């Protein structure tokens, strides 16, 4: 807030800034596999298990040394199209970008350094940490575990806590808040922003439709950049954008099954 921005963009990292979710990727390929991981995701959406417990179970299945995990995702995970252009536009227009992630900060920062370059240091990154298991080093087989930012929360990292620091500001100081996400880790943030960008075809859309949370759909960051430009330039409002997103969902253009989402 030092530069008195009129807009702030908060974003999930895995599967939102990147094409692949690094944690899902590790679980699917060197952990217990995609089928069991999806069972956990669906259980979260149905409120039968907390995200924290599901995510802990996922990460416990990945036993490769942590330095090898970092290298593995850096070698395989790609940047979402349009994000680099969006980020450069945000820097020029005094729009801070804050990453709120349920992933682990060391992996996120390593990926951003490779995918975005030196300017990545201008992004604030808030995620979970990693620590050693008893008597072990994180860089040995089965030696690490995730350390949650908010271990008392069912989310592990309750993103709404950070968002409320801004949404609770006096009206003359409060910036317009954007948020982009794709999945179950973003549920705590969905209601706490002025305009929610939900990724086409992903679980966050199902949740927003079911809970009547306004959102707009994006396919990649070129869509986000275009919509943010319209809003910043006064050519559209966040309310209009959210209405358009829900209409896209109802028409079937959001990439999810309407009947499944509303069960």
């Amino acid at each position: 807030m030092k530069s008195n921005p009129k807009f702030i963009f908060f974003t999930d990292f895995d599967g939102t800034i990147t094409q692949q979710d690094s944690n899902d990727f590790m679980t699917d390929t060197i952990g217990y596999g995609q089928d069991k991981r999806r069972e956990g995701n669906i259980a979260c959406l149905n409120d039968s298990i907390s995200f924290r417990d599901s995510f802990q179970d996922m990460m416990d299945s990945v036993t490769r040394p942590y330095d090898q995990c970092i290298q593995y995702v850096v070698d395989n995970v790609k940047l979402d199209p349009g994000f680099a252009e969006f980020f450069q536009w945000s820097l020029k227009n005094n729009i801070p970008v804050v990453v709120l992630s349920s992933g682990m900060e060391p992996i996120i920062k390593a990926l951003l350094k490779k995918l975005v370059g030196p300017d990545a240091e201008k992004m604030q990154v808030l995620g979970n940490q990693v620590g050693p298991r008893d008597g072990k080093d994180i860089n040995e087989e089965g030696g690490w575990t995730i350390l949650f930012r908010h271990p008392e929360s069912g989310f592990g990292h309750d993103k709404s806590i950070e968002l409320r620091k801004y949404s609770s500001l006096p009206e003359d100081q409060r910036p317009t808040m954007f948020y982009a996400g794709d999945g179950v880790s973003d549920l705590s943030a969905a209601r706490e922003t002025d305009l929610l960008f939900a990724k086409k075809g992903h679980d966050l859309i199902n949740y927003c439709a079911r809970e009547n949370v306004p959102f707009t759909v994006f396919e990649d960051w070129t869509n986000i950049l275009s919509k943010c430009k319209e809003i910043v330039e006064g050519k559209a409002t966040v309310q209009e954008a959210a209405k358009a997103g829900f209409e896209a969902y109802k028409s079937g253009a959001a990439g999810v099954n309407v009947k499944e989402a509303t069960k």
Side-chain angles (χ1 to χ4, degrees):
M1 294 295 293
K2 291 179 181 178
S3 61
N4 296 315
K6 293 182 179 179
F7 302 89
I8 294 183
F9 204 107
F10 299 90
T11 179
D12 175 50
F13 180 75
D14 284 294
T16 300
I17 288 178
T18 57
Q19 291 183 338
Q20 307 97 331
D21 183 307
S22 64
N23 306 298
D24 289 355
F25 177 71
M26 287 193 293
T27 304
D28 293 354
T29 58
I30 58 175
Y32 55 40
Q34 183 180 27
D35 290 345
K36 189 171 182 181
R37 191 259 302 167
R38 277 302 293 162
E39 287 177 9
N41 292 159
I42 293 168
C44 287
L45 283 172
N46 294 333
D47 297 323
S48 58
I49 189 174
S50 70
F51 176 82
R52 179 198 61 213
D53 291 347
S54 174
F55 192 57
Q56 179 79 66
D57 193 49
M58 284 171 53
M59 294 297 94
D60 285 349
S61 78
V62 179
T63 60
R64 188 173 293 190
Y66 198 69
D67 55 353
Q68 293 183 26
C69 288
I70 291 177
Q71 192 59 51
Y72 184 57
V73 298
V74 166
D75 289 343
N76 288 280
V77 172
K78 308 299 182 186
L79 193 69
D80 193 275
F83 180 76
E85 182 183 357
F86 168 85
F87 184 51
Q88 290 303 315
W89 172 81
S90 74
L91 291 175
K92 292 175 183 176
N93 288 274
N94 188 31
I95 302 174
V97 175
V98 180
V99 174
L100 299 179
S101 175
S102 291
M104 294 162 281
E105 286 187 17
I107 283 180
I108 296 167
K109 290 179 178 179
L111 278 166
L112 285 173
K113 182 178 180 181
K114 179 195 175 186
L115 299 174
V116 177
D119 281 341
E121 295 183 2
K122 298 174 184 177
M123 261 183 273
Q124 184 181 10
V125 176
L126 298 175
N128 296 309
Q129 296 295 335
V130 63
R133 294 185 182 273
D134 289 345
K136 292 193 173 187
D137 184 90
I138 63 171
N139 294 325
E140 64 178 277
E141 187 75 16
W144 63 273
T145 186
I146 188 168
L147 301 178
F148 289 108
R149 178 174 285 271
H150 304 124
E152 72 288 350
S153 165
F155 289 102
H157 177 192
D158 186 345
K159 300 177 181 182
S160 67
I161 292 174
E162 187 67 20
L163 292 170
R164 288 184 189 128
K165 293 178 183 178
Y166 298 84
S167 62
S168 62
L169 289 171
E171 193 65 31
D172 60 342
Q173 299 176 30
R174 184 190 183 284
T176 297
M177 299 164 59
F178 301 109
Y179 185 88
D182 70 321
V184 291
S185 73
D186 302 303
L187 303 187
S188 68
R191 294 183 184 277
E192 303 295 334
T193 188
D194 295 307
L195 181 60
L196 172 67
F197 290 90
K199 196 165 192 177
K200 183 177 180 179
H202 288 260
D203 289 334
L204 183 59
I205 290 177
N206 292 337
Y207 171 81
C208 291
R210 187 184 73 200
E211 301 296 326
N212 201 30
V213 177
F215 67 95
T216 190
V217 180
F218 78 99
E219 201 158 353
D220 61 43
W221 282 80
T222 60
N223 306 141
I224 292 177
L225 176 58
S226 176
K227 185 57 64 179
C228 285
K229 281 183 175 179
E230 289 181 12
I231 293 168
V232 170
E233 293 169 4
K235 297 177 181 177
T237 67
V238 292
Q239 293 82 6
E240 290 167 345
K243 182 179 178 181
F246 201 71
E247 290 300 320
Y249 161 75
K250 289 193 294 183
S251 71
V256 298
N257 187 304
V258 176
K259 291 182 180 179
E260 288 296 319
T262 53
K263 282 182 178 177

